[in-house]
Amino acid sequence: MLRAYGALVKALDAELEAAHGLPLSSYEVLLQLDSTPDCKMRMCDLASSVQLSRSGLTRLADRLERDGLIERKSCDCDARGAYAALTPRGREVLKSASPTHHSAVRERFLSHFGDEELADLAAYWRRVLAESEKG
Amino acid sequence: MLRAYGALVKALDAELEAAHGLPLSSYEVLLQLDSTPDCKMRMCDLASSVQLSRSGLTRLADRLERDGLIERKSCDCDARGAYAALTPRGREVLKSASPTHHSAVRERFLSHFGDEELADLAAYWRRVLAESEKG
DNA sequence: CAAGATTGAAGCCTCAATCTTG
DNA sequence: CAAGATTGAGGCTTCAATCTTG
């Protein structure tokens, strides 16, 4: 059961990497940033939303910044904090990678289920997620 | 959606590691070995059953052998092959870790679902797994 | 002292190359 | 040459320690 999940994620990661040179973890960072009103998030919040440690995100952000997909900006209200902000190039890469990823998800996962089943699955996972966020 | 599973697996891994110093990947190797009639498997088969590359399993086997949980045995019928075999100590560690792991799985996952829902979930994942084994 | 972020050290995993055997 | 296993190099992630700011 857990095995199927591992295989699915590995396949999705490999596919995205092969097609766009973009690991799934990077894709998720860009996606998170793009989902906010001003396309920027604090490093700390970003780390927890993509399930990385703070140091893990620091290094991932280094790579993304080196590739010009994000840039760091300082925080006015709290000089300790730093923002990661999507660059135009970052948004561009995200836009071009999205169709690949979406079709991979559709092919490898969504296509196996009907609408009702998917709704059930989403509800099931919400239960598990709610639990893990408590602890 | 995929996030819930990632968090679950990390939590299970951390819990097992904290309680028995045994990472989830090691636990799965011991479990696989224990599930065979003579408690040994070829490295190659073991690698694919725990979803590691051959080199990844070589290294994991090195650590398990160093800790005395498995031992390597040569293969009579094919001198290229090597077996990984569970040691008495390995079986002991597996037996003592199992209750911890089972209760963690129950608490964090199984407890959220009824019998019928669990049967559905298992069937759902079988569809995904069947797909990934084709490619 | 607590929180946000980074850095150094170390662990785990993979790819490519290598060695041995079929 | 193909398959099983290992090794070297390199990438990604985490823990613990550090620096800066509240």
Side-chain angles (χ1 to χ4, degrees):
Chain A
M1 196 126 141
L2 299 170
R3 225 172 337 269
Y5 160 78
L8 173 62
V9 171
K10 279 189 184 182
L12 294 176
D13 181 43
E15 200 151 342
L16 201 51
E17 170 94 50
H20 295 91
L22 196 71
L24 188 54
S25 58
S26 299
Y27 178 85
E28 285 178 340
V29 165
L30 301 184
L31 192 62
Q32 281 294 321
L33 292 177
D34 193 51
S35 73
T36 63
D38 44 5
C39 292
K40 65 181 182 182
M41 281 178 78
R42 294 187 60 151
M43 294 290 287
C44 193
D45 300 329
L46 190 50
S48 67
S49 78
V50 300
Q51 308 231 74
L52 278 177
S53 65
R54 278 196 303 279
S55 66
L57 180 68
T58 291
R59 260 112 186 181
L60 177 50
D62 288 343
R63 301 193 291 277
L64 292 173
E65 192 167 30
R66 166 175 52 77
D67 295 341
L69 306 184
I70 70 167
E71 60 184 354
R72 284 178 164 87
K73 294 189 171 178
S74 57
C75 177
D76 295 338
C77 53
D78 185 342
R80 291 174 304 180
Y83 282 110
L86 201 57
T87 62
R89 176 162 163 65
R91 177 180 286 103
E92 199 177 297
V93 167
L94 177 62
K95 276 203 164 37
S96 83
S98 288
T100 308
H101 185 57
H102 288 152
S103 86
V105 171
R106 199 175 314 116
E107 181 199 343
R108 295 183 183 275
F109 185 73
L110 299 176
S111 68
H112 298 295
F113 305 104
D115 290 346
E116 200 170 324
E117 292 172 332
L118 284 173
D120 288 345
L121 273 169
Y124 289 170
W125 274 334
R126 259 191 297 277
R127 297 185 205 168
V128 176
L129 189 58
E131 166 75 23
S132 79
E133 278 172 352
K134 281 186 347 192
Chain B
M1 201 127 141
L2 298 170
R3 214 152 13 248
Y5 250 102
L8 172 62
V9 172
K10 278 188 184 182
L12 294 176
D13 182 42
E15 200 151 342
L16 200 51
E17 171 96 48
H20 295 89
L22 196 71
L24 188 55
S25 57
S26 300
Y27 179 85
E28 284 178 340
V29 165
L30 301 184
L31 192 62
Q32 281 294 322
L33 292 177
D34 193 52
S35 73
T36 62
D38 45 5
C39 292
K40 65 181 184 183
M41 282 178 79
R42 294 188 60 150
M43 293 290 287
C44 193
D45 300 328
L46 190 50
S48 67
S49 79
V50 299
Q51 308 230 74
L52 279 177
S53 65
R54 280 197 300 283
S55 66
L57 181 65
T58 292
R59 261 114 186 180
L60 177 49
D62 289 343
R63 301 193 293 277
L64 293 173
E65 193 168 29
R66 166 175 54 75
D67 295 341
L69 306 184
I70 68 167
E71 59 184 353
R72 284 177 165 86
K73 294 189 171 179
S74 58
C75 177
D76 295 338
C77 53
D78 186 339
R80 289 174 305 182
Y83 283 111
L86 201 58
T87 62
R89 177 163 161 66
R91 177 180 288 104
E92 200 177 297
V93 167
L94 177 62
K95 277 203 164 39
S96 84
S98 288
T100 307
H101 184 56
H102 287 152
S103 85
V105 170
R106 198 175 317 117
E107 180 199 343
R108 293 182 183 279
F109 184 72
L110 300 177
S111 68
H112 298 295
F113 306 104
D115 290 347
E116 200 170 323
E117 290 171 334
L118 284 173
D120 287 346
L121 272 169
Y124 288 170
W125 279 110
R126 257 193 297 279
R127 299 184 204 168
V128 176
L129 190 58
E131 166 75 22
S132 79
E133 278 170 350
K134 284 184 349 194

